Amino acid sequence: MNTMRKTMPWLIRREVWENKGMLTWVPLAIAALMIVAVLGIAIGGQKATIQVDGVPTSVAGATVQLGERQIQTLAEAIAVMAPVSASVLYLAMAFMVFFYSLGSLYDERRDRSILFWKSLPVSDAATVLSKAAFALIGIPLLIIAVELVTSWVIIGIGMAGLAMKGTNIFPQVLAHPQFWLGPLKVLSLLPVYALWALPTVGWLLLVSAWARGKVFLWAVGVPLLALILLVWIEKGLQQSINTQWVIEKFISRLLVGVMPGTWLMATGVAGRAREMEVAAQGPAAGFDLIWRSSWASVATPEMILGALAGIAMIAGAIWLRRHREEG
């Protein structure tokens, strides 16, 4: 255990060094494109509009006039949206985690660098666990940091554009508690993401450790083939199989668990939002409901059983890396 604790930071650094291009250029390129797009709209967007209380207001004129109540409503909406304004980056994160996990163990066998790493006094368990930790915590932590900075820049550009047209909402936004609490709440969801994505990352690492080639085909094709077989049994043989349940509980957990927010499907947050009439309470109530529902999903059977399955598949990946003969 002491040896693993000492080697783990170095193994994480190895993953950073080997994936420096993906970690640097993908998020920075997306963030730069988003900032440039928003800046272009702020400077030359003559047809741009903002919607407050369901009423669209054009920003094409020399000035933008809003009432006090509209300013407060707009400030609350901006404060709530501030930490997730660049959420496109989270979509990129899902692809980064997916393809990193899929190639991490296969690539070192393909380029035969595994022979070098196995000659070092580093256990297979430590190596595979470092890759799982990098996929579940390292990449998401980096993307959260880039996304928050990008969101603040985008929000700042938008508010500066409004201020130049005579509507300064900086004081109301900066004074809103949600503006400061929002980033902390987003960051606090990292453990929820790691637990939810565990079966997908475990499955991809298992395939990456086992397959001798065409890892994407194996990782995606096997679950889809199983799905096609179930549909054939249900429709062709007229057997009572709940295909939708299988897709939600198994297929999606193997393939799309790396997508942030998909855990909300297990909590029925949409139904609770309707019951609590969250839409009428404002965007802050909706954000809080999503945050509470995310943590509530940790205690659901889908989360617990999925995490256990993910741990089992990571254990399988460790066993395969340890016992597989490399020619």
Side-chain angles (χ1 to χ4, degrees), residues 195-214:
L195 284 173
W196 184 257
L198 198 48
T200 304
V201 170
W203 165 249
L204 295 174
L205 287 175
L206 184 66
V207 174
S208 185
W210 171 78
R212 294 188 181 278
K214 298 179 175 57

Side-chain angles (χ1 to χ4, degrees), residues 146-213:
V146 175
E147 196 276 340
L148 288 177
V149 173
T150 307
S151 293
W152 287 329
V153 173
I154 290 173
I155 291 295
I157 293 172
M159 291 196 297
L162 276 177
M164 292 173 65
K165 291 180 178 294
T167 301
N168 182 11
I169 58 172
F170 274 99
Q172 290 83 357
V173 172
L174 295 178
H176 201 291
Q178 192 68 33
F179 181 80
W180 305 104
L181 291 175
L184 297 177
K185 288 182 177 179
V186 170
L187 187 60
S188 72
L189 294 180
L190 182 58
V192 180
Y193 175 81
L195 284 173
W196 184 257
L198 198 48
T200 304
V201 170
W203 165 249
L204 295 174
L205 287 175
L206 184 66
V207 174
S208 185
W210 171 78
R212 294 188 181 278

Side-chain angles (χ1 to χ4, degrees), residues 2-323:
N2 288 334
T3 304
M4 183 177 292
R5 192 161 52 237
K6 291 178 181 177
T7 57
M8 189 60 72
W10 290 102
L11 291 172
I12 295 292
R13 288 185 186 182
R14 170 199 169 187
E15 300 306 319
V16 174
W17 292 332
E18 291 187 348
N19 298 278
K20 193 179 296 181
M22 176 189 73
L23 296 174
T24 303
W25 294 113
V26 172
L28 289 183
I30 295 174
L33 286 174
M34 294 179 72
I35 292 172
V36 169
V38 172
L39 197 58
I41 293 172
I43 294 174
Q46 298 301 315
K47 296 181 180 179
T49 60
I50 56 175
Q51 187 164 317
V52 183
D53 288 339
V55 179
T57 301
S58 174
V59 298
T63 61
V64 176
Q65 298 294 331
L66 295 175
E68 186 62 29
R69 184 175 179 279
Q70 287 179 308
I71 289 177
Q72 292 296 334
T73 303
L74 181 60
E76 181 182 346
I78 291 176
V80 171
M81 293 301 296
V84 292
S85 296
S87 54
V88 172
L89 281 162
Y90 292 128
L91 180 64
M93 181 188 79
F95 283 97
M96 289 169 66
V97 173
F98 185 96
F99 285 102
Y100 164 78
S101 303
L102 187 59
S104 58
L105 293 173
Y106 170 73
D107 288 345
E108 66 174 9
R109 289 190 289 116
R110 185 181 58 178
D111 61 18
R112 303 181 72 78
S113 63
I114 188 175
L115 299 176
F116 168 75
W117 291 107
K118 281 204 168 193
S119 68
L120 300 177
V122 179
S123 68
D124 296 284
T127 301
V128 175
L129 289 177
S130 70
K131 294 177 182 297
F134 189 66
L136 294 167
I137 298 174
I139 296 176
L141 195 58
L142 170 73
I143 296 299
I144 289 174
V146 175
E147 196 276 340
L148 288 177
V149 173
T150 307
S151 293
W152 287 329
V153 173
I154 290 173
I155 291 295
I157 293 172
M159 291 196 297
L162 276 177
M164 292 173 65
K165 291 180 178 294
T167 301
N168 182 11
I169 58 172
F170 274 99
Q172 290 83 357
V173 172
L174 295 178
H176 201 291
Q178 192 68 33
F179 181 80
W180 305 104
L181 291 175
L184 297 177
K185 288 182 177 179
V186 170
L187 187 60
S188 72
L189 294 180
L190 182 58
V192 180
Y193 175 81
L195 284 173
W196 184 257
L198 198 48
T200 304
V201 170
W203 165 249
L204 295 174
L205 287 175
L206 184 66
V207 174
S208 185
W210 171 78
R212 294 188 181 278
K214 298 179 175 57
V215 283
F216 181 81
L217 192 61
W218 283 110
V220 177
V222 170
L224 292 182
L225 189 61
L227 176 61
I228 292 170
L229 182 62
L230 288 174
V231 171
W232 175 73
I233 293 174
E234 182 186 16
K235 304 296 183 184
L237 303 181
Q238 298 297 311
Q239 297 299 307
S240 179
I241 296 178
N242 191 340
T243 307
Q244 185 64 33
W245 186 85
V246 174
I247 293 174
E248 291 178 1
K249 305 301 180 185
F250 293 97
I251 306 295
S252 66
R253 298 304 309 280
L254 290 179
L255 299 180
V256 298
V258 292
M259 187 68 71
T262 49
W263 55 77
L264 292 172
M265 294 187 300
T267 62
V269 66
R272 292 174 61 193
R274 285 192 296 271
E275 293 172 3
M276 297 170 62
E277 298 181 345
V278 168
Q281 299 178 35
F287 189 90
D288 285 339
L289 176 63
I290 291 174
W291 184 76
R292 291 197 305 271
S293 299
S294 296
W295 273 106
S297 69
V298 174
T300 60
E302 289 88 344
M303 182 74 83
I304 296 171
L305 295 176
L308 292 175
I311 292 171
M313 287 187 280
I314 289 174
I318 294 172
W319 187 90
L320 283 170
R321 190 181 190 274
R322 180 179 300 151
H323 293 91

